[in-house]
Amino acid sequence: MFSWRQDGAITGSNIMNAAAKADELLGNDEEDEREEEEEATSQRRFTPGGSPGSPPGGSLLAQYHAHNAAHLKKMKADLEKLDNELAMVTFKKSKAKQIQHRAKVMARAEVPHHVNYKFGGPKGEGSKNFTQPWLERIDLSGSSQSSSQKNNTIGAKSKATLGKTTMLTVRKGENDHGGDAGDAILPQLSELTSVFRYLEVLDISGNQMSKTGVVSLKEFLGKRECHVVSLKADHANLSDGAGASLLSCLKENVSLRKIHLAHNCLKHKAMQVLGDGLEDNNTLTSITLSWNNVFGVGLQALANGLAVNKGLKKLDLSWNLLGRLEEEAGASAEIPRDAMRAFADALGTNRTLVLLDLSNCSLDIDLCGILGKGLAHNNSIFGLHFIGNKATTDAKGFLRLDIATEDLTTEDIKDQGESSFCGQCWDQHKWVEHRFTFTAGHSGPVDPQSRDPVYLHLMLDDWKPDNMSVERIFPKRNQKDAVGARPGPGEQQGGEVIYKLSRMLPPGRVWYFFSQQGRVLCACDQLMANHPRYHVPRNFVDVEPREGRLKANLVMSQPRLHEWVSMPEDVLSSMRVSRPEWDVLHSIYASRGENNAGRFLDEDAVSDALRTDLGLTKLLAMRLVDEAEMEVLRGVLEENSSGCEYASGSIYKSIVTLYRWYGPQECHSHDDSFTISWTE
């Protein structure tokens, strides 16, 4: 038999020798077939059980051809693989040389400022980051030519690169000690608007903006081809006039959504232009003006535009001396108050603003009172920052002047009272919305036909009563179930009565209780425990911190929607430490309250309590008795046992009396149980 063995690497000589060997063997086809047939005949002759007429077992030559063809095919595939690998190595070497050459060219054309490009393309394809600009020009900062003679144009490669740019960040270089870094790119924005047609985020923060750069930027933002969504110009050394020139583009621009102008020198002129722009521009959603000179006339001009604007959602005025007096001689002292009144009126009429930052504005009590009156009519601002002023915010978002801010650090945080959560922002401090419910007949003894409201008392409100709304639900019951069925609690007068109220709560444990007509109520179908301070039963809820930002469109609790109900302080103080009133749903074994002084209830209440206690047992669930036997048992327990020696009244009252005596005893062991046999 012929066998093929592949030694070493595949070469052209091996392939030629194999081909010659194949031709030599293929030339003797007839002789091989004759020898093969004779050999097969001899094998059949000496094979046990063989017969002269049986077919041959197979051709050896055909097997050889198939084996040889498979090896030739494999060698051909290996040769193609080697050729591909050699081509890839050559391509990589060529690509590396091109990259090195390009790096040398870019190093010679390096500019003194730093530009970051992020490419997304018109369809948002992948992104690339370049740490050096691709501008084909010479360093202009060291040139002795005038600005009009300098070559400020962008080359073909730069145009192709910037045509895909979605984010452009301009920063001063480490060695750039003079001139404006933004002047290298800002003039090109207005001249080559079509090149920057996909630019969405422009960040020029940290640059010393010149008049030329501001004018170029304003012209670019005012063009219809501009699609910039976010403009960041923090720490840009913008004067009041430069800021007014830049903000004048808001009347024509329809693409901007966010403007960051923190840490600049914006004053009355800039605020006047911004206020006029807000009257016409309803596409801008966020403005950051922290660390500027906004006060007096400028604040009033801003308020005039804010009052009619219908698109702004976030306004940051932190670290501005809003109550500052005018420096001009003869200026009226009423200007800060007039400006604050205009700003408060604007907040009272605005319905789109949801985030307002007025922290560290040094507002005195008088100005805080003026602002609080206007803010009380606003139900859209749920993110209010007001620290660093002479007032604070409560759990509902009202401005409060009666909570001393200097005493907040000494307040006992464990009390979880009103002063523990004042000044907190719903959005920043991860508050979560919770819905409180109290079902008449299920949660506690509340008369659904009574017109007396049910109040919710939260510890974070210092237990002040909050009115709950009433909702009546009519259950759907088919006719088959309705026949002979006994109506449940609250269904006698047509439907189930539910008192509900949605409130925003801080993370952690929140204690609460309900009340009606001065009675303290705890919902038996909600979590309950003894309060650690008052040592009386109270309901509680454990709130988990919210993940992510608070979405205003998903929140049902509107800030400053209504105030708390007025209640005499002595009544409220008594309710804080009072135990909840007993009701039938808690079984007759429970305490009856101070009015009964441990005595039994009247006969009607005992009958209802007995029915409730029997319903709490597992006699029917375990099928120990049926409905008829349960009625017999109830009748026996309710029978009068006046002839008994040791008890008076019904048997049920006797059992309760024995249990009430046995329960407080201190001689109980862990395996002790209270049982009464049927014979007893």
Side-chain angles (χ1 to χ4, degrees):
M1 295 293 293
F2 179 81
S3 63
W4 177 267
R5 185 167 59 92
Q6 181 179 357
D7 297 326
I10 301 175
T11 59
S13 59
N14 290 340
I15 298 176
M16 295 301 296
N17 294 334
K21 188 71 174 178
D23 293 337
E24 181 180 355
L25 294 175
L26 290 174
N28 301 325
D29 289 344
E30 297 179 357
E31 183 179 356
D32 292 340
E33 291 178 358
R34 188 168 50 255
E35 293 178 358
E36 182 179 359
E37 184 177 359
E38 292 177 358
E39 183 178 359
T41 304
S42 62
Q43 289 179 357
R44 287 196 304 270
R45 183 180 298 116
F46 296 99
T47 298
S51 61
S54 61
S59 174
L60 293 177
L61 184 60
Q63 296 179 6
Y64 163 74
H65 288 332
H67 188 73
N68 190 29
H71 279 283
L72 289 176
K73 185 177 181 181
K74 184 177 182 300
M75 286 189 293
K76 184 177 179 181
D78 292 340
L79 283 175
E80 292 178 356
K81 183 177 180 181
L82 287 175
D83 291 339
N84 293 334
E85 292 178 356
L86 290 175
M88 182 60 66
V89 171
T90 305
F91 173 79
K92 289 183 178 180
K93 289 182 178 180
S94 177
K95 192 67 175 179
K97 290 181 179 180
Q98 293 179 4
I99 294 175
Q100 293 177 359
H101 177 69
R102 183 179 300 171
K104 293 179 180 179
V105 173
M106 292 176 62
R108 289 195 299 267
E110 183 178 354
V111 293
H113 61 277
H114 187 86
V115 180
N116 292 335
Y117 297 115
K118 286 189 177 180
F119 305 97
K123 296 183 179 180
E125 294 128 3
S127 62
K128 298 180 181 178
N129 297 328
F130 288 85
T131 57
Q132 297 295 338
W134 214 352
L135 301 177
E136 302 169 346
R137 58 187 178 82
I138 309 175
D139 187 356
L140 301 178
S141 61
S143 176
S144 60
Q145 298 179 357
S146 61
S147 59
S148 61
Q149 296 175 346
K150 293 178 181 179
N151 182 18
N152 285 327
T153 60
I154 299 180
K157 291 184 179 179
S158 298
K159 291 181 180 180
T161 302
L162 295 174
K164 302 177 182 179
T165 304
T166 58
M167 174 183 288
L168 180 60
T169 304
V170 181
R171 292 283 186 270
K172 288 184 62 176
E174 297 180 357
N175 300 325
D176 188 14
H177 302 290
D180 296 326
D183 289 345
I185 190 65
L186 292 181
Q188 310 300 328
L189 294 176
S190 58
E191 296 178 5
L192 301 174
T193 308
S194 59
V195 175
F196 296 91
R197 60 187 179 276
Y198 297 121
L199 184 63
E200 296 180 356
V201 179
L202 178 59
D203 188 358
I204 55 176
S205 300
N207 291 278
Q208 302 295 322
M209 295 291 293
S210 65
K211 184 177 180 180
T212 304
V214 172
V215 172
S216 300
L217 181 58
K218 181 195 70 172
E219 294 178 355
F220 170 66
L221 295 175
K223 292 185 177 181
R224 187 177 297 273
E225 295 83 0
C226 175
H227 297 96
V228 175
V229 178
S230 177
L231 173 64
K232 300 179 181 180
D234 302 332
H235 294 276
N237 196 27
L238 288 173
S239 63
D240 192 22
S245 177
L246 178 60
L247 292 173
S248 63
C249 69
L250 292 179
K251 290 192 174 183
E252 293 83 12
N253 184 277
V254 294
S255 64
L256 275 176
R257 299 294 183 269
K258 299 179 181 180
I259 295 182
H260 298 264
L261 298 174
H263 293 271
N264 287 292
C265 303
L266 307 183
K267 203 175 177 182
H268 299 337
K269 293 181 180 179
M271 293 302 102
Q272 182 65 49
V273 176
L274 178 59
D276 296 340
L278 289 177
E279 293 180 2
D280 301 326
N281 190 308
N282 291 321
T283 59
L284 192 64
T285 60
S286 175
I287 301 178
T288 302
L289 297 172
S290 58
W291 291 95
N292 280 278
N293 293 325
V294 182
F295 66 96
V297 178
L299 178 62
Q300 188 171 1
L302 176 62
N304 295 334
L306 184 63
V308 298
N309 184 269
K310 298 181 181 179
L312 193 64
K313 295 182 178 180
K314 178 182 178 182
L315 178 61
D316 187 357
L317 292 175
S318 59
W319 295 99
N320 284 276
L321 300 179
L322 300 182
R324 176 182 173 184
L325 296 175
E326 294 289 344
E327 300 176 354
E328 299 179 359
S332 175
E334 292 295 326
I335 293 180
R337 293 182 177 85
D338 295 339
M340 189 55 63
R341 290 190 186 94
F343 187 66
D345 293 340
L347 295 180
T349 57
N350 188 281
R351 292 295 178 265
T352 59
L353 199 64
V354 295
L355 296 175
L356 177 62
D357 193 347
L358 298 177
S359 57
N360 300 294
C361 292
S362 299
L363 297 178
D364 57 18
I365 295 180
D366 187 14
L367 296 179
C368 289
I370 296 174
L371 181 62
K373 293 179 181 179
L375 190 63
H377 299 283
N378 183 284
N379 305 127
S380 63
I381 301 177
F382 63 83
L384 178 60
H385 301 262
F386 207 75
I387 61 174
N389 300 290
K390 290 299 182 180
T392 185
T393 57
D394 55 24
K396 287 190 175 183
F398 289 101
L399 283 187
R400 298 285 299 277
L401 305 177
D402 55 344
I403 301 178
T405 56
E406 57 269 16
D407 296 337
L408 296 182
T409 56
T410 61
E411 187 72 20
D412 187 6
I413 302 300
K414 295 182 180 180
D415 288 347
Q416 300 294 310
E418 188 175 37
S419 58
S420 301
F421 301 101
C422 63
Q424 291 193 7
C425 175
W426 292 0
D427 180 52
Q428 181 182 5
H429 293 88
K430 308 297 182 181
W431 285 41
V432 181
E433 186 179 32
H434 181 78
R435 185 184 182 187
F436 295 92
T437 59
F438 192 93
T439 305
H442 292 283
S443 301
V446 172
D447 185 8
Q449 302 303 319
S450 176
R451 295 185 178 181
D452 295 324
V454 174
Y455 299 123
L456 171 68
H457 301 258
L458 295 175
M459 187 174 182
L460 61 91
D461 297 335
D462 279 348
W463 307 106
K464 290 182 295 186
D466 202 359
N467 195 7
M468 304 182 71
S469 61
V470 185
E471 180 181 359
R472 187 179 295 272
I473 300 178
F474 295 90
K476 296 181 179 180
R477 302 173 59 185
N478 53 38
Q479 187 176 2
K480 181 179 180 180
D481 296 338
V483 175
R486 183 176 180 179
E491 298 180 2
Q492 290 85 350
Q493 301 298 329
E496 188 176 54
V497 177
I498 299 178
Y499 300 87
K500 60 181 181 179
L501 178 63
S502 297
R503 286 289 303 272
M504 296 295 296
L505 303 180
R509 176 162 293 187
V510 178
W511 297 91
Y512 65 95
F513 67 90
F514 304 91
S515 70
Q516 186 187 41
Q517 298 179 344
R519 299 179 300 139
V520 176
L521 304 172
C522 286
C524 62
D525 55 352
Q526 301 174 24
L527 295 178
M528 187 189 310
N530 283 333
H531 195 277
R533 180 178 179 182
Y534 303 111
H535 306 289
V536 292
R538 290 291 182 265
N539 293 119
F540 68 90
V541 57
D542 291 325
V543 181
E544 295 292 334
R546 186 190 69 255
E547 297 182 358
R549 300 298 300 271
L550 182 62
K551 298 181 180 180
N553 57 341
L554 301 179
V555 176
M556 298 179 59
S557 303
Q558 296 182 2
R560 298 168 296 276
L561 184 60
H562 56 80
E563 297 187 5
W564 292 272
V565 179
S566 178
M567 181 175 289
E569 184 61 30
D570 56 342
V571 177
L572 185 60
S573 300
S574 176
M575 295 177 64
R576 291 175 182 173
V577 295
S578 299
R579 301 182 65 86
E581 184 173 320
W582 175 88
D583 86 78
V584 172
L585 296 179
H586 290 163
S587 167
I588 199 170
Y589 291 160
S591 174
R592 282 119 173 109
E594 299 178 357
N595 297 331
N596 296 309
R599 299 190 302 269
F600 291 112
L601 299 178
D602 57 329
E603 295 297 330
D604 295 336
V606 171
S607 178
D608 293 338
L610 174 58
R611 188 180 300 276
T612 301
D613 282 340
L614 290 177
L616 295 175
T617 63
K618 298 181 180 180
L619 297 177
L620 291 176
M622 298 177 64
R623 298 183 179 179
L624 298 178
V625 296
D626 54 14
E627 291 286 350
E629 293 175 342
M630 180 66 77
E631 287 296 323
V632 173
L633 177 60
R634 187 187 64 81
V636 171
L637 293 176
E638 199 173 3
E639 286 181 357
N640 193 339
S641 59
S642 58
C644 185
E645 300 179 353
Y646 52 85
S648 62
S650 65
I651 299 176
Y652 179 67
K653 287 185 178 181
S654 303
I655 296 175
V656 173
T657 303
L658 180 60
Y659 178 81
R660 288 172 62 85
W661 171 84
Y662 185 78
Q665 304 300 321
E666 299 180 356
C667 58
H668 300 160
S669 60
H670 293 288
D671 56 349
D672 193 9
S673 60
F674 175 74
T675 58
I676 297 178
S677 65
W678 181 259
T679 58
E680 295 177 345

